[in-house]
Amino acid sequence: GAGVSQSPRYKVTKRGQDVALRCDPISGHVSLYWYRQALGQGPEFLTYFNYEAQQDKSGLPNDRFSAERPEGSISTLTIQRTEQRDSAMYRCASSPSDRGKANEKLFFGSGTQLSVL
Amino acid sequence: AQSVSQHNHHVILSEAASLELGCNYSYGGTVNLFWYVQYPGQHLQLLLKYFSGDPLVKGIKGFEAEFIKSKFSFNLRKPSVQWSDTAEYFCAVNARGTYKYIFGTGTRLKVLA
């Protein structure tokens, strides 16, 4: 596609439910990032993939959060047993650059607005 | 650890006023610096970036930013804002040779027509 695509655009769920957020990066982009943005805050790093390898997951808040990118393209961020504090905008970004050549800009998707009731 | 500070959280200006948004970062090594913008209803997009060379960089829509290494600053400027500049602006830093980008908390700019 022309840009980074994220789905769903909005997700409302009840506390305790699991959610899966999808990111389809720009074709051929090597690097993929997940960020979380709470209201009034900047994007906060969650995790980074280089091709299919999850190189850094240091930003994932706890073990309820996981991410995968099994074929080096589409990625899924899963939140298990959601809590109200998980409510935020979840942003995916991709970049054509391989790790260590990060002089490239990030291309962001429109984000998924998650609301946990 | 790297961090980015944006001092102005909300800015309101009239059209034609000049704009300067502050950005300071904390990191001792070489960095790449970015300003991203999010217009209402749109995704984050790059406004301008600094990697090396001339510390005064020019971006889209008449924006520019100056890297002052001694002050660890990368302030965004525009001589005359327009109503269409109403948006949220984020400063970001990336340590050279790494993959992680750290964002500031953002500045919401509202330009009154």
Side-chain angles (χ1 to χ4, degrees), chain A residues 9 33 35 37 39-43 45 48 55-56 58 91 99-100 102-106 108-110, chain B residues 32 34 36 38 41 43-44 46 49 51 88 90 94 96-106 108:
Chain A
R9 185 77 173 87
Y33 302 77
Y35 280 83
Q37 186 175 1
L39 198 61
Q41 300 295 317
F45 173 83
Y48 164 75
Q55 299 278 349
D56 187 337
S58 64
R91 299 187 183 276
R99 173 179 179 169
N103 283 352
E104 298 287 341
K105 67 179 184 181
L106 298 180
F108 282 88
S110 296
Chain B
N32 302 314
F34 307 81
Y36 282 83
Q38 184 173 16
H43 57 270
L44 276 166
L46 184 70
K49 59 186 178 182
F51 295 150
E88 191 161 15
F90 294 92
N94 158 254
R96 188 73 56 85
T98 71
Y99 53 83
K100 191 177 288 189
Y101 296 76
I102 305 299
F103 286 81
T105 53
R108 286 182 180 262

Side-chain angles (χ1 to χ4, degrees), chain B residues 7-29:
Chain B
H7 316 298
N8 317 101
H9 298 292
H10 293 89
V11 174
I12 301 175
L13 295 172
S14 298
E15 275 195 314
S18 64
L19 169 73
E20 180 159 3
L21 301 182
C23 173
N24 286 90
Y25 67 93
S26 171
Y27 182 70

